Amino acid sequence: MKLDVLEAVKGRRSIRAFENQDVPAEILEKIIDAARLAPSAGNIQPWEFIIVRKPEIKRRLAEAALDQMFIEEAPVVIVACANEARSSYGYGVRGETLYCIQDTAAAVQNILLAACSLGLGTCWVGAFREEETREILKIPRGIRPVAIIPIGYPAEVPPARSRRPISQTMHYETF
Ligand SMILES: Cc1cc2nc3c(=O)[nH]c(=O)nc-3n(C[C@H](O)[C@H](O)[C@H](O)COP(=O)(O)O)c2cc1C
């Protein structure tokens, strides 16, 4: 079953427990396809995705993510990286420090929504030791790991987390 975008936006939850069931390569490809359709500054597409299935690498990533061991439980872990070098060629410092992160974050959100619409669970993990993650995955300079995303069939149904009300977050005309 595929969900409408708004249904996926409303129904998505961070999932931190996964079934012991693999994610087929075709499904993973659909998800990465959704990621690469994200908007990016100047259409530079500065994202890179590392797909990790090896248990040993997943374990080390979980440790680098301050021992968030649920990462290891997922059959697949996607590490989304921003290619700073690519963005800086086009947009200098603003490209390197801002656009490439924004672009990659947009791609990460597409991953989360596409996965949700395909019945998969994900969690956007941003708390990790960057240097250690670089070493584990042999990520070269100029490429910055932005998010670790465990992905698999959900083994939990968490309640919705609260959000700040619209009235507090919406500003009319001026701040
Ligand atoms: C930039 C970013 C970093 C995050 N880092 C972590 C993390 O390290 N570990 C974790 O369990 N969840 C992490 N999350 C998930 C948030 O905790 C979660 O999105 C938030 O509590 C709202 O819950 P929901 O996703 O179920 O709506 C992160 C989310 C974002 C956007």
Side-chain angles (χ1 to χ4, degrees):
M1 181 194 54
K2 285 191 183 165
L3 297 181
D4 159 75
V5 174
L6 268 185
E7 279 179 276
V9 167
K10 289 181 181 167
R12 185 206 56 80
R13 303 279 178 272
S14 289
I15 298 298
R16 299 181 179 89
F18 301 94
E19 298 288 352
N20 187 13
Q21 187 187 341
D22 201 7
V23 177
E26 317 83 74
I27 302 272
L28 194 59
E29 212 164 287
K30 275 190 186 173
I31 291 167
I32 298 297
D33 189 38
R36 85 191 169 91
L37 294 175
S40 63
N43 200 24
I44 278 180
Q45 306 166 50
W47 39 68
E48 315 282 348
F49 305 105
I50 304 171
I51 311 299
V52 179
R53 287 183 183 274
K54 285 192 177 156
E56 169 64 9
I57 303 184
K58 287 190 295 180
R59 185 185 59 74
R60 292 179 64 200
L61 283 177
E63 286 169 4
L66 319 182
D67 293 324
Q68 299 190 72
M69 302 314 290
F70 66 88
I71 293 170
E72 186 186 14
E73 267 184 44
V76 181
V77 176
I78 301 173
V79 180
C81 303
N83 190 326
E84 298 169 317
R86 229 180 131 79
S87 292
S88 79
Y89 296 142
Y91 295 109
V93 173
R94 197 166 172 81
E96 184 181 337
T97 59
L98 182 63
Y99 294 162
C100 73
I101 305 296
Q102 288 181 324
D103 298 342
T104 306
V108 170
Q109 180 68 355
N110 274 12
I111 289 177
L112 267 46
L113 293 178
C116 174
S117 98
L118 294 166
L120 286 154
T122 56
C123 184
W124 182 326
V125 173
F128 56 89
R129 288 186 289 270
E130 231 174 281
E131 279 312 307
E132 198 174 320
T133 302
R134 273 179 189 290
E135 273 172 37
I136 296 166
L137 300 174
K138 303 184 169 59
I139 299 173
R141 295 281 143 211
I143 310 286
R144 185 171 186 194
V146 168
I148 296 178
I149 312 162
I151 175 162
Y153 292 94
E156 61 170 353
V157 184
R161 301 285 310 269
S162 68
R163 292 296 192 266
R164 293 167 62 205
I166 294 179
S167 59
Q168 260 184 33
T169 50
M170 218 168 161
H171 306 262
Y172 290 98
E173 317 308 341
T174 57
F175 190 87

